[in-house]
Amino acid sequence: MLLEVLNSVFSVQIFLFIILGVFTGICIGSLPGLTATMGVALVLPLTFGMEATPGILLLIGVYVGAIYGGSISAILLRTPGTPAAAATVLDGYEFSKRGESGRAMGISTVSSFLGGVVSVLALWLISPQLAKLALRFSAPEFFLLAVFGLSIIASISGNSLAKGVLCGALGISLSFIGIDGITGYPRFTFNNINLLSGMSFIPVMIGLFAMSQAFSTVENIFTPDQVTQKISKVWPSKKDWKVILKTAPLSGAIGTIIGIVPGAGAEIGAFVSYSQAKRSSRHPELFGTGIPEGIAAPEGGNNGVTGGALIPMLTMGVPGDAVAAILIGALTVQGLQPGPLLFTEHTTLVYSIFLGMFIANVTMLVLGLSSLKLFVKVLSVPKAILTPMIFVLCVVGSYAINTNFFDVGVMLFFGILGYFLQKADVSVSPAVLGLILGPMAESNFRRALLMSEGSYSIFVASPIAWVFVALTLVTLLGPVVTERLKKRKVA
Amino acid sequence: MRKANFIVSGTFTLFAIFIIAISLGYPPSNHGVPGPGMFPIIIASLIILSALTLFIFTLRMPKELDTTIDLKSKNVVNVYITMGGLVLYFVLLPLVGFVVTTSIMLILFIKWFSKRAWWKTILISVLFTVAIYLLFGSVLNVPMNYGLLI
């Protein structure tokens, strides 16, 4: 098997796709307004005609590169390129003010690499074990797992639990469209032939993540682009290496754990790692003034999320974050179903993804240290030209999946809807995750009742089921109880 | 934000009622095994419950915590014009063809957004359109020839 994996990954074609992915990802991530999710959604249509391994690795390259790339504008412009780099701004920009942007970017590059490598190792070690455990799941457990995933997504996304649930439920509702998998009855199709096979979720994702983001960019399209400064001395000094080696791997581990939690993305990973580094520091008052720990922690943390988010996605079909949700779409297009069976039926592919992700992190390190000046130049590409080009990519990308203009309309509709939802402070991520977890929840719910001949006791018949029920209750009621206790203490 | 929250909760409630109304017409449960309408009704009920929660929380929200949402400024109107332009592009695309419609759409948007010289705008727009046409049409084998022109 090892030879097959090496054979599958160590080819010129795969290396080129990984390099192309990481390069594109860094460029996309470094541009404020273009997120990692948007980047992966825009590149996704290019993988439709590819084989599974190069296609998935191209997207993983974009993911890894974009999460790192966000730090470039965070450090230089005080504007995070992606939300994942928001915590990097705090200390990163202070370096630039001192004229040490090169040093800051060197710390960011190495820390992102170490965080990413820790997450790949975790992916490598944890996933096969989790997949083995998931093989013991049947319909009731998968239903409860989906409910648990949805409860977490709702509770951590945005500022309001109610809005999170609403958006998640909207996603689930979209999954009802089409022929019912169990009875064959057409639901919510309104005699429209395009709706019979269900809502294709790639146009929905391109609309919600890429098009809506492009609309938001139009709001500030006439604001002049910021000027960037020159950078030098990227390679970290001995003193900085010590800090990086002490901080980044731990932050990577924290990011990985956060990535495993469905719905928690790189932004949360970066902030939690930053506050952990601050708490455990002997000089917490220096955080925010431009110290190496202030960059190493969030950068290690956000790249740590990348591998972590793939763990539940590959082993159970539950996306760890919005990018993992798009990767599920990419696997589905290739005729592959993420879940425990992927590890037994497509072992070579799974381990090729692990190895390819490690190579993507090495590529990111090499490109980051050697070509930073080039990526800084990307920042000067005017958004006035870039944004209309993104419109075209969104349209062509949605059309390409089924060569169908109906999908373009769907993308445009969800782009407009996503823009207004963002205006109303409703996070759109739960909708996409709901669209993926909804069918998993419904089909397993009904299958479980078929198995038990209508008895609901099947949902609490196994210890694993009880664990999921308890986790769901803690997730939904935990924040409410904590809030009540806090209020009581204050009173 | 109060107004937006009321609109969100109202719209979602109407959406949920619509789901329930349609789902009630689907075949019923059979020997305890849910029919195709049961899960949609459960989710629609969840939507109504969440929308109601949002409505009540917003009613109880102190007025000083309220924030305004920009829906009428010049910047937002630019977004509406962009949306309108893209809807028109979507309608014309299958009728006219990819290269012509996309080039014109790009020229108009880039000229409006960047105020660059016409020749530069046309060059960028046509080159990008042709590159995408060749990439998807020739390399990725996506049928890109439709409409009256190309």
Side-chain angles (χ1 to χ4, degrees):
Chain A
M1 204 266 293
L2 181 69
L3 269 179
E4 279 175 42
V5 173
L6 292 175
N7 220 7
S8 148
V9 177
F10 285 95
S11 73
V12 179
Q13 184 211 24
I14 297 279
F15 269 79
L16 282 177
F17 278 124
I18 292 176
I19 294 169
L20 180 71
V22 176
F23 182 85
T24 313
I26 300 177
C27 292
I28 289 172
S30 65
L31 289 162
L34 306 192
T35 63
T37 318
M38 182 193 208
V40 177
L42 286 178
V43 175
L44 174 65
L46 298 178
T47 67
F48 295 161
M50 291 183 189
E51 282 178 32
T53 311
I56 299 295
L57 290 181
L58 174 70
L59 296 176
I60 285 178
V62 176
Y63 182 25
V64 169
I67 294 292
Y68 155 68
S71 68
I72 297 175
S73 52
I75 291 166
L76 285 176
L77 307 178
R78 207 187 184 185
T79 312
T82 60
T88 312
V89 173
L90 303 173
D91 280 77
Y93 187 65
E94 297 300 318
F95 276 84
S96 288
K97 282 205 302 202
R98 297 197 299 256
E100 293 181 316
S101 46
R103 182 184 165 206
M105 285 206 247
I107 297 168
S108 150
T109 308
V110 178
S111 305
S112 297
F113 165 72
L114 289 174
V117 167
V118 168
S119 80
V120 175
L121 280 176
L123 177 67
W124 209 310
L125 294 171
I126 299 171
S127 296
Q129 311 311 321
L130 209 58
K132 267 183 206 162
L133 178 73
L135 274 174
R136 287 160 56 190
F137 291 7
S138 65
E141 286 83 12
F142 271 116
F143 165 69
L144 292 166
L145 171 68
V147 173
F148 169 55
L150 287 166
S151 67
I152 289 187
I153 290 155
S155 64
I156 61 169
S157 53
N159 300 324
S160 157
L161 174 68
K163 285 181 182 175
V165 174
L166 282 176
C167 213
L170 170 73
I172 301 174
S173 310
L174 295 175
S175 73
F176 298 146
I177 297 170
I179 292 177
D180 174 32
I182 291 182
T183 58
Y185 194 87
R187 296 189 299 185
F188 304 99
T189 52
F190 310 106
N191 296 325
N192 186 328
I193 197 162
N194 293 303
L195 292 174
L196 273 180
S197 53
M199 186 73 86
S200 175
F201 69 89
I202 288 168
V204 177
M205 284 193 286
I206 295 178
L208 286 176
F209 291 112
M211 194 50 123
S212 66
Q213 196 65 47
F215 285 140
S216 299
T217 312
V218 172
E219 273 193 35
N220 303 311
I221 204 96
F222 298 109
T223 315
D225 293 304
Q226 285 156 295
V227 184
T228 57
Q229 57 172 293
K230 282 184 182 174
I231 52 159
S232 57
K233 282 186 191 167
V234 175
W235 189 258
S237 65
K238 229 180 194 180
K239 209 173 134 197
D240 287 344
W241 268 107
K242 270 187 190 170
V243 175
I244 293 168
L245 290 174
K246 198 180 147 200
T247 316
L250 179 65
S251 300
I254 294 171
T256 306
I257 294 166
I258 288 169
I260 294 172
V261 178
E267 188 186 356
I268 298 172
F271 273 109
V272 173
S273 302
Y274 185 85
S275 56
Q276 192 281 331
K278 193 176 173 181
R279 264 203 313 271
S280 61
S281 169
R282 269 184 249 162
H283 43 76
E285 70 285 354
L286 292 180
F287 274 77
T289 60
I291 56 170
E293 292 94 324
I295 297 176
E299 282 307 304
N302 62 25
N303 271 78
V305 169
T306 55
L310 298 194
I311 295 175
M313 186 277 269
L314 287 171
T315 55
M316 291 179 281
V318 176
D321 66 359
V323 177
I326 300 176
L327 290 175
I328 288 186
L331 283 167
T332 315
V333 167
Q334 300 286 348
L336 302 162
Q337 189 60 46
L341 290 178
L342 198 68
F343 282 75
T344 50
E345 289 169 4
H346 301 278
T347 320
T348 310
L349 171 76
V350 171
Y351 284 91
S352 299
I353 290 174
F354 296 168
L355 183 58
M357 193 164 190
F358 175 75
I359 296 169
N361 277 286
V362 176
T363 310
M364 178 193 75
L365 177 74
V366 175
L367 286 178
L369 291 177
S370 64
S371 319
L372 256 177
K373 284 181 185 169
L374 179 71
F375 295 121
V376 171
K377 276 197 178 145
V378 172
L379 285 176
S380 55
V381 174
K383 55 185 179 226
I385 293 178
L386 206 63
T387 309
M389 288 177 177
I390 291 170
F391 295 154
V392 178
L393 290 175
C394 289
V395 168
V396 178
S398 338
Y399 168 77
I401 181 158
N402 295 319
T403 58
N404 183 347
F405 281 101
F406 180 78
D407 286 343
V408 181
V410 168
M411 181 279 297
L412 205 53
F413 173 79
F414 282 97
I416 294 170
L417 181 71
Y419 171 76
F420 285 110
L421 285 176
Q422 280 177 29
K423 281 252 158 211
D425 199 23
V426 182
S427 167
V428 293
S429 298
V432 172
L433 301 172
L435 188 57
I436 288 170
L437 290 177
M440 179 178 167
E442 184 182 10
S443 59
N444 286 298
F445 173 73
R446 292 166 69 189
R447 235 170 254 144
L449 288 174
L450 264 172
M451 282 159 61
S452 68
E453 293 175 345
S455 166
Y456 285 83
S457 62
I458 194 167
F459 294 111
V460 283
S462 75
I464 299 171
W466 272 105
V467 170
F468 284 128
V469 170
L471 285 172
T472 307
L473 288 175
V474 169
T475 311
L476 288 177
L477 301 177
V480 181
V481 174
T482 319
E483 195 65 27
R484 283 269 157 101
L485 286 175
K486 264 188 199 168
K487 274 187 186 167
R488 218 178 258 183
K489 258 188 187 175
V490 172
Chain B
M1 192 55 76
R2 280 168 74 93
K3 203 173 165 188
N5 283 357
F6 288 139
I7 293 172
V8 167
S9 57
T11 314
F12 271 93
T13 306
L14 286 176
F15 176 62
I17 292 169
F18 174 70
I19 293 178
I20 293 173
I22 291 183
S23 303
L24 286 173
Y26 292 157
S29 301
N30 189 7
H31 299 294
V33 180
M38 183 175 174
F39 211 70
I41 291 173
I42 293 174
I43 297 300
S45 310
L46 185 70
I47 292 177
I48 292 175
L49 193 72
S50 305
L52 206 66
T53 312
L54 180 65
F55 184 82
I56 292 167
F57 269 87
T58 311
L59 266 185
R60 289 164 60 182
M61 182 200 278
K63 278 196 176 157
E64 58 272 17
L65 289 182
D66 194 15
T67 50
T68 50
I69 298 178
D70 175 17
L71 287 173
K72 289 176 188 166
S73 74
K74 202 181 165 195
N75 289 344
V76 180
V77 171
N78 287 340
V79 179
Y80 300 153
I81 296 170
T82 308
M83 286 172 179
L86 285 174
V87 171
L88 186 67
Y89 167 66
F90 164 64
V91 173
L92 294 175
L93 190 63
L95 303 173
V96 180
F98 179 78
V99 176
V100 176
T101 326
T102 305
S103 299
I104 294 172
M105 183 273 276
L106 278 178
I107 290 167
L108 294 176
F109 274 124
I110 293 176
K111 181 69 190 165
W112 177 35
F113 292 156
S114 74
K115 316 256 185 297
R116 253 156 231 269
W118 276 106
W119 73 269
K120 272 189 194 171
T121 307
I122 293 170
L123 188 72
I124 294 169
S125 305
V126 173
L127 281 181
F128 183 75
T129 305
V130 172
I132 292 293
Y133 177 77
L134 291 176
L135 174 67
F136 278 86
S138 303
V139 182
L140 301 172
N141 293 322
V142 176
M144 297 294 280
N145 291 319
Y146 40 77
L148 287 171
L149 306 167
I150 49 165

